[in-house]
Amino acid sequence: MKSKFMQMVMAACLCIFLTACQKDFKSTDSSQDLKMARNNELNGRLKQTKTFSAEVALRWMDMQVNQMRAYTGVGNVAYSRHYAYSGIALYEAVVPGMPAYQSIASQLNGLTGIPETKPGLGYHWAASANAALASINKNMFPNATSENKAAMDALEASLLDQYSNEADAAIIDRSVAFGKAVAEAVFAWAQTDGHQNLYNPYSPPADKVGGMYWTPPAILPVHSVPYMGDLRRMVATSGDGAGLAGP
């Protein structure tokens, strides 16, 4: 009888011990879950670029076209420069969120200093794109009218307000800072491509007349950026071997 009673006591103690262990395990699991949830909240769950809408790119491209229509002093051919640098800034501002792709900076002629994202932290790539496109467009159109400058400010603010409701402030601030830094690096590179000399005064060579050349005393027609060929190529070997034979 005594032996049986002792067995029952030991069994009861074992049940109590196991129950206590189970509670402890559950408590630990719950703590880990909360920690992981908090970490995900802070880091934005590392969303990829493809999870965001292309609206930001489309609206800024529309804005750029509108700016070009109203801007003075820049020929149509020269606007290819605006498209090119804006496209590069946009791509570099979102490519870290595209695992199957990589930066193209190393393939471009002289582009360095593109900032990097912080490992393990989440970004709102639409907010990054908005900041990059706003910055590069404002820099590309420094002499825009007050009305057009206000339009760019309004578009940037409108999109940012929308994105601020989709992620916490830390993620948005980090994304905006990254997008602006990318645009600043791309614009600094753009400023060294030789475009400042694109509209230098031009006079046709005195010994070149007839055929493909301006022939005095005819009035010199409006020439289309005669110094375009002096611009730095975006890709170092671009155009090699593409020259036409002389007439």
Side-chain angles (χ1 to χ4, degrees), residues 10-231:
M10 290 179 66
C13 289
L14 181 60
C15 287
I16 292 172
F17 174 75
L18 291 175
T19 301
C21 288
Q22 186 177 21
K23 287 182 179 179
D24 185 57
F25 290 148
K26 286 183 178 179
S27 176
T28 301
D29 290 344
S30 178
S31 176
Q32 287 291 96
D33 289 343
L34 288 173
K35 185 176 181 181
M36 289 178 65
R38 180 57 179 161
N39 186 58
N40 283 335
E41 180 182 348
L42 290 174
N43 296 341
R45 295 183 176 83
L46 302 179
K47 291 183 178 179
Q48 294 185 21
T49 301
K50 65 182 180 181
T51 63
F52 296 93
S53 169
E55 176 193 17
V56 58
L58 297 174
R59 293 187 66 180
W60 272 109
M61 290 300 105
D62 285 342
M63 174 63 70
Q64 189 172 86
V65 171
N66 290 334
Q67 293 293 330
M68 289 175 177
R69 287 172 178 164
Y71 208 64
T72 58
V74 180
N76 291 335
V77 177
Y79 278 136
S80 59
R81 179 175 183 270
H82 295 66
Y83 285 125
Y85 288 118
S86 295
I88 292 170
L90 170 61
Y91 179 78
E92 293 295 332
V94 301
V95 71
M98 301 160 65
Y101 296 82
Q102 62 184 5
S103 168
I104 59 171
S106 63
Q107 302 174 54
L108 298 173
N109 193 6
L111 177 56
T112 59
I114 294 294
E116 297 181 355
T117 54
K118 296 178 180 179
L121 295 181
Y123 287 79
H124 189 291
W125 298 115
S128 178
N130 182 44
L133 287 170
S135 177
I136 197 76
N137 274 280
K138 290 175 184 179
N139 279 315
M140 284 288 180
F141 298 101
N143 298 320
T145 64
S146 297
E147 181 180 1
N148 284 331
K149 287 181 178 179
M152 288 190 281
D153 288 339
L155 176 58
E156 179 184 18
S158 173
L159 290 172
L160 179 58
D161 183 61
Q162 173 186 330
Y163 301 146
S164 295
N165 295 321
E166 299 175 0
D168 64 47
I171 292 175
I172 296 298
D173 290 346
R174 184 188 309 132
S175 304
V176 169
F178 177 69
K180 286 184 177 179
V182 167
E184 288 171 1
V186 172
F187 184 69
W189 173 58
Q191 291 300 88
T192 62
D193 68 2
H195 79 282
Q196 292 89 344
N197 300 316
L198 201 58
Y199 295 98
N200 286 350
Y202 175 77
S203 296
D207 61 334
K208 305 290 187 180
V209 295
M212 62 183 287
Y213 303 104
W214 312 133
T215 304
I219 298 174
L220 179 66
V222 176
H223 55 273
S224 182
V225 285
Y227 300 107
M228 179 67 83
D230 296 333
L231 290 180

